[in-house]
Coordinates of all heavy atoms in Angstrom, one line a residue:
G54 N 94.0 69.8 130.7 CA 94.8 69.6 129.5 C 95.7 68.3 129.5 O 96.7 68.2 128.7
V56 N 94.6 65.2 129.0 CA 94.1 64.3 127.9 C 93.5 65.1 126.8 O 93.1 66.3 127.0 CB 93.1 63.3 128.5 CG1 93.7 62.4 129.6 CG2 91.8 64.0 129.0
G57 N 93.4 64.5 125.6 CA 92.8 65.2 124.5 C 92.3 64.2 123.5 O 92.7 63.0 123.5
E58 N 91.6 64.7 122.5 CA 91.0 63.8 121.5 C 92.1 63.6 120.4 O 92.7 64.6 119.9 CB 89.8 64.5 120.9 CG 88.6 64.5 121.9 CD 88.1 63.2 122.4 OE1 88.3 62.1 121.7 OE2 87.5 63.1 123.4
Q59 N 92.2 62.4 120.0 CA 93.2 62.0 118.9 C 92.5 61.9 117.6 O 91.3 61.6 117.5 CB 93.9 60.7 119.3 CG 94.7 60.8 120.5 CD 95.5 59.5 120.8 OE1 96.5 59.6 121.4 NE2 94.9 58.4 120.5
V60 N 93.2 62.0 116.5 CA 92.7 61.9 115.2 C 92.2 60.5 115.0 O 91.2 60.3 114.2 CB 93.9 62.1 114.1 CG1 93.4 61.9 112.7 CG2 94.4 63.6 114.3
D61 N 92.7 59.5 115.6 CA 92.3 58.1 115.4 C 91.0 57.7 116.2 O 90.5 56.6 116.1 CB 93.4 57.1 115.8 CG 93.8 57.1 117.3 OD1 93.1 57.9 118.1 OD2 94.7 56.4 117.6
G65 N 93.8 60.5 124.1 CA 95.3 60.4 124.3 C 95.7 61.2 125.5 O 95.0 62.1 126.0
I66 N 96.9 60.8 125.9 CA 97.5 61.5 127.1 C 98.5 62.6 126.5 O 99.3 62.3 125.7 CB 98.3 60.5 128.0 CG1 97.3 59.5 128.6 CG2 99.1 61.2 129.0 CD1 97.9 58.4 129.4
V67 N 98.3 63.8 127.0 CA 99.2 64.9 126.6 C 100.3 65.0 127.7 O 100.0 65.3 128.8 CB 98.3 66.2 126.5 CG1 99.2 67.4 126.1 CG2 97.2 66.0 125.6
G68 N 101.5 64.8 127.3 CA 102.6 64.9 128.2 C 102.8 63.6 129.0 O 102.5 62.5 128.5
I112 N 87.0 65.8 117.7 CA 87.8 66.9 117.6 C 87.0 68.2 117.3 O 87.2 69.2 117.9 CB 89.0 66.7 116.6 CG1 90.0 65.7 117.1 CG2 89.6 68.1 116.2 CD1 91.0 65.3 116.2
E119 N 90.3 73.0 125.5 CA 90.6 71.5 125.5 C 91.7 71.2 124.5 O 91.9 71.9 123.5 CB 89.3 70.8 125.2 CG 88.3 70.9 126.3 CD 87.0 70.2 126.0 OE1 86.7 69.9 124.9 OE2 86.3 69.9 127.0
K120 N 92.3 70.1 124.7 CA 93.4 69.6 123.9 C 92.8 68.7 122.8 O 91.9 67.9 123.0 CB 94.5 68.8 124.7 CG 95.2 69.7 125.7 CD 96.2 70.6 125.0 CE 97.0 71.3 126.1 NZ 98.0 72.2 125.4
Y121 N 93.5 68.7 121.6 CA 93.2 67.8 120.5 C 94.4 67.6 119.7 O 95.3 68.4 119.7 CB 92.0 68.4 119.6 CG 92.4 69.6 118.8 CD1 92.8 69.4 117.5 CD2 92.3 70.9 119.3 CE1 93.2 70.5 116.7 CE2 92.7 72.0 118.6 CZ 93.1 71.8 117.3 OH 93.5 72.9 116.5
Q122 N 94.4 66.5 118.9 CA 95.6 66.2 118.1 C 95.3 66.8 116.7 O 94.3 66.5 116.1 CB 95.7 64.7 118.0 CG 97.0 64.3 117.4 CD 97.1 62.8 117.5 OE1 96.2 62.1 117.2 NE2 98.3 62.3 117.8
A123 N 96.3 67.6 116.2 CA 96.2 68.2 114.9 C 96.6 67.1 113.9 O 97.2 66.1 114.2 CB 97.2 69.4 114.8
P124 N 96.4 67.3 112.6 CA 96.7 66.3 111.6 C 98.2 66.0 111.6 O 98.5 64.9 111.2 CB 96.3 67.0 110.3 CG 95.2 68.0 110.7 CD 95.6 68.4 112.0
D125 N 99.1 66.9 112.0 CA 100.5 66.6 112.0 C 100.9 65.8 113.2 O 102.1 65.5 113.4 CB 101.3 67.8 111.9 CG 101.2 68.8 113.1 OD1 100.6 68.4 114.1 OD2 101.8 69.9 113.0
G126 N 100.0 65.5 114.1 CA 100.2 64.7 115.3 C 100.5 65.5 116.6 O 100.7 65.0 117.7
S127 N 100.7 66.8 116.4 CA 101.0 67.7 117.5 C 99.7 67.9 118.4 O 98.6 67.9 117.8 CB 101.6 69.0 117.1 OG 100.6 69.8 116.3
W128 N 99.9 68.2 119.6 CA 98.8 68.5 120.5 C 98.6 70.0 120.4 O 99.5 70.8 120.6 CB 99.1 68.1 122.0 CG 99.0 66.7 122.2 CD1 100.0 65.8 122.4 CD2 97.8 65.9 122.2 NE1 99.5 64.5 122.5 CE2 98.2 64.5 122.4 CE3 96.4 66.1 122.0 CZ2 97.3 63.5 122.4 CZ3 95.5 65.1 122.1 CH2 95.9 63.8 122.3
Q129 N 97.3 70.4 120.2 CA 96.9 71.8 120.1 C 95.9 72.1 121.2 O 95.1 71.2 121.6 CB 96.3 72.1 118.8 CG 97.2 71.8 117.6 CD 98.4 72.7 117.6 OE1 98.4 73.9 117.9 NE2 99.6 72.1 117.4
T130 N 95.8 73.3 121.6 CA 94.7 73.7 122.5 C 93.7 74.5 121.7 O 94.0 75.4 121.0 CB 95.3 74.7 123.6 OG1 96.3 74.0 124.3 CG2 94.2 75.1 124.6
R131 N 92.5 74.0 121.9 CA 91.4 74.6 121.1 C 91.2 76.1 121.5 O 91.2 76.4 122.7 CB 90.1 73.8 121.4 CG 88.8 74.4 120.8 CD 88.7 74.1 119.3 NE 87.5 74.8 118.7 CZ 86.4 74.3 118.5 NH1 86.1 73.1 118.8 NH2 85.4 75.0 117.9
P136 N 88.8 73.8 115.3 CA 90.1 73.1 115.4 C 90.6 72.7 114.0 O 89.9 72.6 113.0 CB 89.7 71.9 116.2 CG 88.2 71.7 115.9 CD 87.7 73.1 115.7
E137 N 91.9 72.5 114.0 CA 92.6 72.1 112.7 C 92.3 70.6 112.6 O 92.6 69.8 113.5 CB 94.1 72.3 112.9 CG 94.9 72.1 111.7 CD 96.4 72.3 112.0 OE1 96.7 73.0 112.9 OE2 97.2 71.8 111.2
R138 N 91.7 70.2 111.5 CA 91.3 68.8 111.3 C 91.9 68.2 110.0 O 92.2 69.0 109.1 CB 89.8 68.6 111.3 CG 89.1 69.0 112.6 CD 87.7 68.7 112.7 NE 86.9 68.9 111.5 CZ 85.8 68.2 111.1 NH1 85.4 67.2 111.9 NH2 85.2 68.4 110.0
D139 N 92.0 66.9 110.0 CA 92.5 66.2 108.9 C 91.7 66.5 107.6 O 90.4 66.6 107.7 CB 92.5 64.7 109.2 CG 93.2 63.9 108.1 OD1 92.7 63.8 107.0 OD2 94.2 63.3 108.5

Side-chain angles (χ1 to χ4, degrees):
V56 298
E58 295 298 336
Q59 297 180 148
V60 175
D61 64 4
I66 295 174
V67 181
I112 289 170
E119 294 179 339
K120 296 286 188 180
Y121 70 94
Q122 191 178 43
D125 67 3
S127 66
W128 286 107
Q129 302 295 317
T130 302
R131 173 79 187 262
E137 186 181 340
R138 296 191 319 151
D139 191 291

